[in-house]
Amino acid sequence: MKRRNFLKNTAASSIALSGLGSVMGASASESVISNDNAFKLNYAPHFGMFRHSAGDDLIDQLKFMADQGFTAFEDNGMTGRDVATQEKIGETLEKLGMTMGVFVVPKGGNMANTLAAGKKEHVDIFLEGCRQSVEVAKRVNAKWMTVVPGAFERWLPIGVQTANVIEALRRGAEILEPHGLTMVLEPLSDSPDLFLQTSDQTYMICKAVNSPACKILYDIYHLQKTEGHLIHNIDLTWDEIAYFQLGDNPGRNEPTTGEINYKNIFKHIYNKGFSGVVGMEHGNSEPGIEGEKKLIKAYREVDAFEV
């Protein structure tokens, strides 16, 4: 696939070498992100990640993210925000030229209301969450929303559980697909009781649902823990991946703080032509403004791959 016309490596390197003092002191603006400051990939911070530098106001935080060169944003809890706040976030993202990443389809939590059980009441909660998500997506100009099918239903054979999940997701896709929206299924490492845990399992389910409204959210942090072989498994499941998230392991903080070679992974997906969002679903390894400076420096470092 032909590579896109992104920031040249030399520009990224010069920004990193110039130090972060002027970057962190830059005033938040309403202007579209400058190509001189943008990253190669669409990394998406979340609210709170830069609150010591930008303050508690959500809009100021978005402006600060844009000033640092981030071209996307994600907010797991977007559906819980009031309509006026959602609309203001959407308007601000549009002005800043930023892409809205994922929010979570409300279904009661990662372990709750499992689709594997095949229970009508669980499926109804999920489908209502999909309908709510359509309205939220319109306000914030979102395309992707996270779905976690829930826990194992251990009294059922695994094949029956899988069929139940596929059937529920097909019904969710019927709600989302007419609006051009995509639920991204996230395999997790948080508990052995979760139904969805590996990339190949998620790939199989997406193939069976057979809809552009149902794809993979490949969370590099979780899948390093459950299966490893990251680049190999990314390649195996590539045609169903619509979204990435990350955190280093151990610790689930910014890249360079753990064992994952994020520079190589980012180079790999960039060269494969990935133009979607890479969600920064992790913490800061150090507190305060200094920790926020360290986080930005880390992203400059891992984004400075040769192309």
Side-chain angles (χ1 to χ4, degrees):
M1 185 179 293
K2 188 176 180 180
R3 292 198 296 267
R4 303 157 316 285
N5 183 22
F6 276 97
L7 167 73
K8 296 297 182 184
N9 228 19
T10 52
S13 299
S14 66
I15 292 169
L17 292 172
S18 67
L20 288 168
S22 61
V23 173
M24 300 299 288
S27 61
S29 71
E30 291 283 354
S31 62
V32 174
I33 297 165
S34 167
N35 287 334
D36 294 333
N37 201 31
F39 293 95
K40 295 184 183 75
L41 292 170
N42 296 313
Y43 308 114
H46 54 79
F47 287 135
M49 187 165 269
F50 300 115
R51 68 181 182 84
H52 293 94
S53 299
D56 292 330
D57 182 80
L58 301 184
I59 302 306
D60 286 343
Q61 290 184 37
L62 290 175
K63 293 174 182 178
F64 182 86
M65 294 171 196
D67 283 338
Q68 311 320 306
F70 293 105
T71 52
F73 160 77
E74 66 178 25
D75 182 26
N76 283 346
M78 183 66 79
T79 59
R81 302 190 187 279
D82 62 79
V83 171
T85 299
Q86 292 172 1
E87 290 175 344
K88 183 63 175 176
I89 290 170
E91 292 166 3
T92 303
L93 292 173
E94 184 176 5
K95 289 177 181 177
L96 295 172
M98 297 178 75
T99 299
M100 179 67 208
V102 291
F103 59 87
V104 176
V105 172
K107 61 173 282 293
N110 287 346
M111 299 288 289
N113 300 310
T114 175
L115 304 182
K119 295 181 179 178
K120 182 179 183 300
E121 57 268 31
H122 292 183
V123 175
D124 286 347
I125 289 169
F126 164 64
L127 297 178
E128 178 57 29
C130 290
R131 285 187 282 269
Q132 292 177 28
S133 296
V134 169
E135 298 308 311
V136 174
K138 291 176 183 177
R139 298 180 195 121
V140 298
N141 195 27
K143 180 178 179 181
W144 307 278
M145 48 227 56
T146 305
V147 169
V148 177
F152 279 111
E153 191 65 68
R154 295 190 181 277
W155 59 273
L156 286 176
I158 188 63
V160 174
Q161 293 186 64
T162 301
N164 288 339
V165 171
I166 292 167
E167 177 61 25
L169 294 174
R170 283 177 176 169
R171 294 181 64 187
E174 290 174 355
I175 295 170
L176 300 175
E177 188 173 340
H179 301 278
L181 303 177
T182 302
M183 55 182 164
V184 284
L185 309 184
E186 183 177 15
L188 298 174
S189 63
D190 297 326
S191 169
D193 291 322
L194 284 160
F195 172 81
L196 196 63
Q197 297 196 28
T198 64
S199 60
D200 66 302
Q201 177 194 18
T202 315
Y203 183 82
M204 176 188 66
I205 289 171
C206 288
K207 287 296 186 185
V209 175
N210 192 28
S211 168
C214 184
K215 296 295 178 181
I216 297 173
L217 191 172
Y218 195 105
D219 189 309
I220 298 166
Y221 164 77
H222 284 297
L223 290 171
Q224 167 72 358
K225 292 174 65 180
T226 58
E227 63 185 25
H229 301 288
L230 292 167
I231 288 176
H232 174 70
N233 288 327
I234 286 170
D235 285 346
L236 287 178
T237 60
W238 181 256
D239 61 313
E240 294 292 333
I241 296 173
Y243 200 98
F244 285 94
Q245 285 182 327
L246 70 130
D248 217 335
N249 184 52
R252 201 173 186 179
N253 289 314
E254 71 268 16
T256 74
T257 58
E259 66 185 357
I260 302 175
N261 190 335
Y262 271 108
K263 181 180 282 188
N264 276 0
I265 293 172
F266 291 157
K267 177 180 179 179
H268 187 72
I269 66 174
Y270 175 90
N271 285 335
K272 286 178 75 71
F274 185 74
S275 59
V277 172
V278 182
M280 297 160 58
E281 196 185 35
H282 58 73
N284 297 10
S285 62
E286 295 183 12
I289 290 178
E290 291 305 312
E292 294 166 8
K293 290 181 181 179
K294 180 182 177 184
L295 184 150
I296 295 172
K297 182 179 179 181
Y299 274 90
R300 289 292 172 202
E301 179 179 335
V302 295
D303 191 69
F305 49 80
E306 296 181 1
V307 296

